[in-house]
Amino acid sequence: MQVKPSYVSQFELPDVLLKETYCEILEPTFLPGGSNNKDCYQGGDPSLITVDLNKTLDWLHDHPIPKPLENEVCSIPVLLHVKQFSTQHLLFHYDGTPQSARVIREFESLFGNLIGQSRATIISPSFIPKSKIKEEREIIQLISKSTRETSFIKFNFQRIGDFWSYAVKKDCTLFVTTKNYQADLAKVLFHFYKGEMWSDKLSFYLTV
């Protein structure tokens, strides 16, 4: 199924790089961009837009970065995926905001069928207000119940590049974060693509 022109225009990328998924819960056999994905279309917006990361970065080397990647945020969740997409080792970015908690919950709901045997790492700020401790514990419990193994770490990472570097060093395969960091992430990926630190294993899930 091809992406509707309205969504293609939001990204300002060639439509061959993007595909849409309408399933509210992904099948265990889901592969981004794969022809075997279950067709759940019943009208309405997609539940996920998948973007081929490597092909997109190759395209961007010959074109200016589209403004939507830098400044504008699409409300549909986006999966920037590598060729060998895997949910083997998940990295969750919880920053103490309701938005990041919602992103993690929505990811668990959508990808629940694919993460039962996954390792998961949750990174949270070293200090969060007491009012957020309950929410933080709920996120840890949710991911612990949904995955085979869950680790919880406190780091004061200030930049999205710090998370990317950690993910690469720890062989993470899927990084889950909010679209608040979309512009900075785009710059990091473009800068390090095909460099010594680049990982062909790491995909990215972003939503608002």
Side-chain angles (χ1 to χ4, degrees):
M1 183 178 292
Q2 294 298 314
V3 180
K4 297 177 182 179
S6 59
Y7 294 116
V8 172
S9 62
Q10 288 186 44
F11 285 85
E12 296 182 6
L13 294 170
D15 57 1
V16 296
L17 301 178
L18 298 88
K19 289 186 180 295
E20 59 189 5
T21 297
Y22 286 86
C23 298
E24 293 183 1
I25 300 176
L26 299 177
E27 293 291 304
T29 56
F30 169 80
L31 289 174
S35 58
N36 63 332
N37 294 334
K38 183 178 178 181
D39 186 359
C40 302
Y41 181 69
Q42 296 180 347
D45 293 334
S47 60
L48 181 70
I49 293 178
T50 63
V51 182
D52 189 307
L53 178 58
N54 291 64
K55 290 182 179 179
T56 297
L57 291 172
D58 286 335
W59 183 85
L60 287 173
H61 270 280
D62 297 320
H63 301 80
I65 296 179
K67 290 182 179 179
L69 292 181
E70 292 189 306
N71 304 314
E72 301 172 18
V73 176
C74 169
S75 61
I76 308 297
V78 171
L79 178 67
L80 304 172
H81 65 89
V82 294
K83 184 177 181 179
Q84 301 299 326
F85 173 74
S86 170
T87 58
Q88 180 179 357
H89 189 180
L90 311 172
L91 178 63
F92 293 96
H93 175 195
Y94 174 69
D95 62 9
T97 65
Q99 183 182 16
S100 68
R102 184 173 63 252
V103 166
I104 294 172
R105 291 190 180 102
E106 290 179 357
F107 172 87
E108 189 277 336
S109 177
L110 183 62
F111 281 82
N113 286 334
L114 287 89
I115 63 176
Q117 296 302 313
S118 300
R119 292 172 54 206
T121 301
I122 304 170
I123 294 182
S124 178
S126 293
F127 173 81
I128 60 171
K130 288 185 178 180
S131 60
K132 298 295 181 181
I133 292 177
K134 180 176 181 292
E135 180 180 70
E136 184 182 65
R137 288 175 179 170
E138 290 174 349
I139 292 298
I140 297 170
Q141 291 172 358
L142 174 66
I143 299 304
S144 297
K145 290 178 181 178
S146 303
T147 60
R148 176 176 56 85
E149 176 186 334
T150 299
S151 301
F152 177 65
I153 304 173
K154 290 280 192 177
F155 281 139
N156 280 329
F157 287 162
Q158 301 297 320
R159 301 172 300 175
I160 200 65
D162 296 331
F163 289 91
W164 175 82
S165 178
Y166 178 91
V168 171
K169 291 176 181 177
K170 297 298 182 179
D171 287 325
C172 297
T173 60
L174 182 56
F175 176 37
V176 178
T177 188
T178 77
K179 288 188 179 180
N180 286 345
Y181 306 97
Q182 172 177 298
D184 290 338
L185 179 61
K187 293 174 182 176
V188 168
L189 297 179
F190 187 77
H191 179 74
F192 287 100
Y193 182 48
K194 293 184 178 179
E196 291 184 3
M197 288 188 63
W198 182 256
S199 171
D200 285 325
K201 302 177 183 178
L202 184 59
S203 299
F204 303 83
Y205 173 90
L206 303 95
T207 191
V208 294

